[in-house]
Structures are given as C-alpha cells and as structure tokens.
Amino acid sequence: AMSSMFVPNPVMSLAVKPAETKMQNNFAKALTKFTKEDPTLRVKVDSETKETVLSGMGELHLEVYIERMKREYNVECISGQPNVNYKETIAARAEFDWLHKKQSGGSGQYAKVTGYIEPMTEEEIKELGKPNEFKNKCIGTNIPPEYYPSCEKGMNDAMHEGSLVGCEVEGIRVVLQDGASHAVDSSDMAFRICMANAIRETMKSAQPSVLEPVMTVEVEIPSEFQGAVTASLSKRMGMIQSSDMNDDGSGLKLEAHVPLANMFGYSTELRSLTQGKGEFTMEYFNHTPVPRNVQDELMEKYKMERLEKEAAA
C-alpha cells in the first residue's frame, strides 16, 4: 500500500469574500475545486463573523488561489488582513471548583464540577495523537454518569476558544474529580456550560501563554548581500541557525527561525535588498510562546473585539 501523504497544518489564514453577491456561486465552486486538489488549503466559515476563511501555508500560497479565482472563475475577491494562527496553552497546574446555577422560572440550570487542569508534555501529546486530554476520575455518582460526555463536550468548547485571545488551546489535561447535580435542574447543557466556563476561568491562573507559529526560513543569496539580509532577518526577530557558503564563496545559504507574524511582505524586501537575486523558502517549524508585550497586545485586541461584538448584539 502507498504510504499516506504528510499534510502539514495551515499556518496562515485570510478572510475572503466575492466582490459582488452574484459571484457567490462561482466563488463556492472555485473553493470546492481548489480544496479537492490541494490538501494544504483549508476553507472554513467563521461561526461568529460568518466570514469565509482560507487557510494555507503562507502569504504566497493564498495569493495564488485568489489570483486563480479571478482568472479561472471570474470572481473578484476582497481579502482581509492575513491572520496568523495563534494557539494557547498553560504552564502550571490549577484546581477548579465551579458552580453554574441559573434560576429563571420553571426548571433552571444547575451543575458543579471540581478537578484540576495541568500542562502536557510534547511527548504525551504525540503519544495521544490529539492536543488535549480529558480524564474522568469521578468516584460515586455525584455527577450522574450520563453527564460525563457533556463535561467532555464542555472541555472541547473551551479548547476551541481559549480565554486569552480566543484561539485554539493545546497541551492541556483536564481531570474531573467530583461535582454535584440537582435532580430537576441538571441537564446536559448545564454541565457543558459549567465545564467550559470552569476551564476558561481556571486557565487564567495556570500561567497561560499565547503560542505563535515559527517558520524555518531558508534564504539563498549572493554573498555580497550577507550583511543586509542578516540584519533584515534580525529585525524581524529571526534567530539565525546556520549559514553555509558555497564552494567558490559567491553564494550563501542562510537558515533562520522567524515568527510567521513577522514574515509579511518579506519577499518584496528580499528582492529589493538583493537586486532581485535572492530567494527564500519557508516551512512550519513549531509554535513557541510570544513575548510578553505581544501577548498583552493580542489580549487587549481580543478584549476590544469582544466588547464591540457585545455592543453590536
């Protein structure tokens, strides 16, 4: 049997929409065809903003598809600002003891969960094959067993949208130890909401951090431009890993790890620095924590967006 192809996860996303409503049909056709032929291109509709979000391997990758839509399907696209796919995680263990109670005439909602969350190592994530784990260590029936799946769903809700910047969460083990229920007011929904809120709140006290995608960037340039190119990579917070000169000393190959958020517009800059002779390739390396000041900026931005949404609602 053929070995299955390795498909990396997308690292950059872009909100797109057709310029005119009448192009919607062709727009959908184009996306269906493109995602069939290229497994690294993903399309999803954002449940809150209702925008179509294209995700792929980088700026150029997404630009090519927008251009192809125009040529092959006559669809002019309006695209938003490219966004980097951040993730969230925690670095410490934290206990939770959360009560969700709502009484509004008729049957209310009641659920209580206690337990803890703790970080997982990369080896554990690899072994599990999924980014988070739910462990049920309840003894007795304080939480009736039929509500366990709802607790897990609640965990998944919290993992889907973290508390810091609303991004996916990974590397967390949630352990449910105990809880309480009410004969009338407890329901699947109550436990699901309870669990999600418990985890979101507890994450804040478990040394949470935002992770950003870092790329391995390989740059090939004539050696006389070494100084300028190295400086420009450092300016983009790149860490140079290696630089190899070819045999006759005319060309140079640099390898660096650079945060993807700092790679926007790099192709243009590299061309102008090297009189059009330099070229680069990049691929995903890993997610690493962002600097503190960037994390605060992202959190502030997320907070403002949520306030705007609430105001609009």
Side-chain angles (χ1 to χ4, degrees):
M2 280 174 72
S3 61
S4 64
M5 202 165 100
F6 167 70
V7 179
N9 283 326
V11 288
M12 189 174 284
S13 19
L14 190 62
V16 286
K17 64 169 194 244
E20 295 168 31
T21 332
K22 62 171 192 250
M23 298 174 175
Q24 190 67 45
N25 207 349
N26 273 1
F27 176 69
K29 268 187 201 157
L31 290 183
T32 313
K33 177 170 183 282
F34 295 159
T35 43
K36 266 188 188 155
E37 67 187 38
D38 178 357
T40 59
L41 183 76
R42 317 270 172 93
V43 177
K44 71 165 201 257
V45 176
D46 190 309
S47 56
E48 284 183 0
T49 57
K50 301 286 178 265
E51 290 176 319
T52 306
V53 179
L54 270 188
S55 308
M57 293 288 104
E59 220 172 350
L60 183 66
H61 186 201
L62 299 174
E63 275 170 21
V64 167
Y65 280 109
I66 288 172
E67 184 57 34
R68 277 187 60 189
M69 253 185 246
K70 197 161 115 186
R71 280 200 204 150
E72 297 171 28
Y73 289 88
N74 261 334
V75 177
E76 283 279 354
C77 275
I78 300 172
S79 56
Q81 195 54 34
N83 274 327
V84 168
N85 296 351
Y86 291 103
K87 287 180 179 170
E88 297 179 24
T89 191
I90 56 169
R93 175 181 154 145
E95 312 274 332
F96 60 84
D97 182 349
W98 191 263
L99 174 65
H100 172 70
K101 198 159 111 184
K102 228 181 186 171
Q103 200 62 47
S104 53
S107 68
Q109 291 182 356
Y110 183 95
K112 183 181 178 182
V113 291
T114 54
Y116 60 89
I117 59 176
E118 61 180 6
M120 288 162 66
T121 62
E122 285 194 8
E123 289 76 47
E124 290 175 317
I125 295 174
K126 276 209 177 94
E127 246 172 66
L128 253 186
K130 56 179 196 237
N132 301 297
E133 184 180 14
F134 178 74
K135 266 195 169 168
N136 182 356
K137 288 194 175 166
C138 288
I139 299 166
T141 55
N142 285 350
I143 298 179
E146 63 265 27
Y147 294 135
Y148 293 154
S150 307
C151 291
E152 189 163 355
K153 277 185 190 143
M155 174 195 101
N156 291 336
D157 292 346
M159 296 300 133
H160 198 65
E161 190 181 317
S163 58
L164 293 182
V165 292
C167 293
E168 273 183 33
V169 178
E170 67 169 34
I172 291 190
R173 180 182 295 112
V174 178
V175 180
L176 182 63
Q177 291 172 312
D178 200 3
S181 66
H182 186 284
V184 182
D185 291 351
S186 283
S187 65
D188 286 328
M189 202 61 211
F191 272 99
R192 186 170 176 171
I193 294 170
C194 181
M195 196 74 194
N197 290 343
I199 294 168
R200 282 197 187 116
E201 276 306 308
T202 313
M203 268 185 72
K204 291 176 183 168
S205 57
Q207 297 175 20
S209 57
V210 177
L211 307 174
E212 64 178 345
V214 172
M215 311 299 276
T216 299
V217 180
E218 279 191 6
V219 191
E220 294 196 15
I221 47 168
S223 49
E224 70 257 30
F225 304 115
Q226 179 177 2
V229 173
T230 312
S232 99
L233 281 171
S234 304
K235 203 171 83 203
R236 291 172 182 264
M237 309 299 285
M239 305 285 279
I240 308 279
Q241 301 298 315
S242 66
S243 67
D244 299 318
M245 200 161 280
N246 63 6
D247 298 341
D248 59 357
S250 62
L252 188 74
K253 186 176 175 182
L254 289 172
E255 191 176 289
H257 291 158
V258 192
L260 179 64
N262 303 344
M263 285 301 289
F264 290 125
Y266 184 64
S267 48
T268 329
E269 184 182 345
L270 184 66
R271 267 187 233 124
S272 65
L273 283 175
T274 59
Q275 303 165 9
K277 296 172 187 165
E279 50 186 49
F280 80 101
T281 57
M282 65 175 184
E283 61 176 54
Y284 173 70
F285 173 60
N286 66 1
H287 268 78
T288 53
V290 301
R292 191 74 229 190
N293 60 326
V294 179
Q295 180 165 323
D296 293 341
E297 273 169 39
L298 289 168
M299 285 167 71
E300 194 52 43
K301 190 175 147 206
Y302 176 61
K303 210 157 119 191
M304 297 307 289
E305 279 172 8
R306 278 185 53 184
L307 289 172
E308 277 169 26
K309 267 182 203 154
E310 282 164 18

